[in-house]
Amino acid sequence: MSRLTLRDWTDADMPKLASMHDQMQVGYPLPEFSPLYFARKAVVDSEGRVIAMATVKLVGEAYIFIDQNVPKLTQAKSVKILNEECAKVA
């Protein structure tokens, strides 16, 4: 059996990734792999041939809790303030 090697994937790997995606018939389009959303993109190859690829996508989830006893306008303003603040780190 050939030696399997783990490495970072590069743009040169994208045609092989697209081919594997098509072969697997997963039922969804190939995602865009922006560097902003993926913390890790890895390839396993054997003698220069890509065998498998994987990625870890960063996903944010937000929660908001509002005192229902304050006026609606105050609630709305609070949501706006929190939205602007949370957008800084999203």
Side-chain angles (χ1 to χ4, degrees), residues 12-23 49-53:
D13 295 315
M14 291 308 293
K16 179 62 176 176
L17 173 60
S19 173
M20 289 189 300
H21 178 269
D22 290 343
Q23 290 174 1
R49 178 176 173 222
V50 174
I51 304 300
M53 300 171 86

Side-chain angles (χ1 to χ4, degrees), residues 26-39:
V26 293
Y28 56 84
L30 184 65
E32 182 178 325
F33 295 103
S34 166
L36 297 176
Y37 304 116
F38 292 89

Side-chain angles (χ1 to χ4, degrees), residues 67-83:
D67 184 341
Q68 298 299 298
N69 297 315
V70 299
K72 296 295 181 195
L73 183 58
T74 302
Q75 290 181 31
K77 287 180 180 179
S78 297
V79 169
K80 181 179 184 299
I81 292 167
L82 289 169
N83 183 60

Side-chain angles (χ1 to χ4, degrees), residues 37-51:
Y37 304 116
F38 292 89
R40 181 72 169 107
K41 295 189 281 188
V43 168
V44 172
D45 71 27
S46 175
E47 298 175 4
R49 178 176 173 222
V50 174
I51 304 300

